[in-house]
Amino acid sequence: MERPAWAPQGIDISVPSVSRMYDFYLGGSHNFEVDREAARKAMEFMPGLPKIMQANRAFMRRAVRHAVSEGVTQFLDIGSGIPTFGNVHEVAQAADPEARVAYVDHDPVAVAHSQAVLEGNDRAVIATADLRRPQEILKSPEVSELLDLERPVALLLVAVLHFIEDADDPQAAVAALSESLAPGSLLVITHASYEGIPLTREEAGGAVGVYRNIRNPLIMRSRDEVSRFFDGYEMVEPGLVAMPNWRPETPAVHEQEDPYAFSGFGGVGRKA
């Protein structure tokens, strides 16, 4: 397999990556054939996956604009993935040029492309770290030098918690990050769930199985399970809802939206 010029040395391009599959769903070009094959296989079971990813990105952009409108201009985006149009720093800095954004990912392709995109932007950085090791994130020089944790921060965990198995205790990781945040900080989460998907659990389970087979299990959690990540936060209206229903810019009428867009949940909480 020929290694593309943009692919960092040292990565195994024969193994699918969830961030590169996500890039493929969104129509990006920074993915390998192995990623496309896995994504197409998942789409055989769940053809609306691209629509779910689009709804996820649209939710993220609305949440970022909401944060800036509330005076929160620092962002910590963990599991940020490969940069695409309308990324957090673009949305935040369009709303407030002084906004600061620290991205965090453990995928070397995502990190390499983020470094290229952010070159010359002194208010946005990328750190190599893993959500399962929150102290590693908080103590990384990129994060600690850019963000002032004595002031409110918007912590973005967008489409990442569902890749953390219960055995790795994602609840504890979120709690550890939350403890470091100042009052007035925001927690922004999207999470996959069987709830809302216009398929039977067995049909959707075929796509989940694809992720399990590539050793990146997709953990589908219920609304109640996702809501526990917001312990210690006051939910921002309208609460934890299907992503198109969170403060839509135009009324999210089900008849006008692809049913897949309403799969899973998104929500924002404010730390007291």
Side-chain angles (χ1 to χ4, degrees):
M1 183 185 302
E2 184 178 349
R3 178 183 294 272
W6 53 261
Q9 293 297 318
I11 68 166
D12 186 348
I13 64 175
S14 68
V15 177
S17 153
V18 294
S19 65
R20 298 193 304 266
M21 290 170 67
Y22 188 91
D23 178 68
F24 172 73
Y25 293 134
L26 290 173
S29 58
H30 296 107
N31 47 76
F32 307 132
E33 183 56 32
V34 67
D35 306 308
R36 295 188 285 273
E37 287 177 2
R40 291 186 192 110
K41 183 65 176 176
M43 288 170 63
E44 289 177 12
F45 298 101
M46 197 182 296
L49 278 167
K51 178 54 66 175
I52 296 172
M53 307 312 169
Q54 292 164 17
N56 186 79
R57 296 289 294 184
F59 165 87
M60 177 274 289
R61 290 191 285 267
R62 296 196 304 276
V64 168
R65 286 192 288 267
H66 169 76
V68 174
S69 74
E70 292 292 306
V72 179
T73 58
Q74 299 190 105
F75 297 84
L76 178 56
D77 182 2
I78 302 176
S80 51
I82 295 170
T84 58
F85 177 76
N87 225 33
V88 174
H89 73 282
E90 294 175 326
V91 177
Q93 291 174 354
D96 185 337
E98 299 297 312
R100 295 171 178 263
V101 179
Y103 293 110
V104 178
D105 209 289
H106 64 81
D107 184 318
V109 172
V111 172
H113 280 284
S114 295
Q115 290 170 335
V117 168
L118 300 175
E119 187 174 359
N121 189 329
D122 61 2
R123 292 185 176 85
V125 297
I126 176 72
T128 303
D130 193 309
L131 173 57
R132 289 166 290 196
R133 294 184 287 278
Q135 293 307 316
E136 177 183 302
I137 294 172
L138 297 170
K139 294 177 181 177
S140 69
E142 295 89 353
V143 172
S144 60
E145 291 172 13
L146 184 71
L147 302 184
D148 177 5
L149 298 184
E150 297 298 315
R151 295 173 47 237
V153 172
L155 171 60
L156 275 63
L157 300 175
V158 176
V160 64
L161 285 167
H162 48 231
F163 290 113
I164 308 295
E165 297 182 84
D166 290 340
D168 289 321
D169 203 350
Q171 192 85 35
V174 175
L177 291 165
S178 296
E179 287 172 9
S180 72
L181 301 182
S185 292
L186 300 175
L187 175 60
V188 179
I189 290 176
T190 65
H191 200 295
S193 176
Y194 285 116
E195 296 176 40
I197 295 178
L199 297 171
T200 66
R201 188 183 182 102
E202 291 71 26
E203 289 169 333
V208 173
V210 171
Y211 283 89
R212 183 173 58 249
N213 291 340
I214 64 171
R215 299 182 181 179
N216 280 287
L218 179 59
I219 311 302
M220 307 289 267
R221 295 188 172 98
S222 68
R223 185 181 183 282
D224 286 345
E225 289 171 323
V226 176
S227 69
R228 290 177 200 140
F229 290 117
F230 288 99
D231 286 352
Y233 290 83
E234 179 182 352
M235 294 302 295
V236 172
E237 289 293 332
L240 186 62
V241 295
M243 292 177 289
N245 290 336
W246 196 89
R247 301 195 171 206
E249 292 165 354
T250 56
V253 180
H254 279 256
E255 290 77 9
Q256 298 174 352
E257 289 276 355
D258 187 308
Y260 277 99
F262 296 87
S263 305
F265 298 102
V268 177
R270 178 179 290 276
K271 185 175 180 181

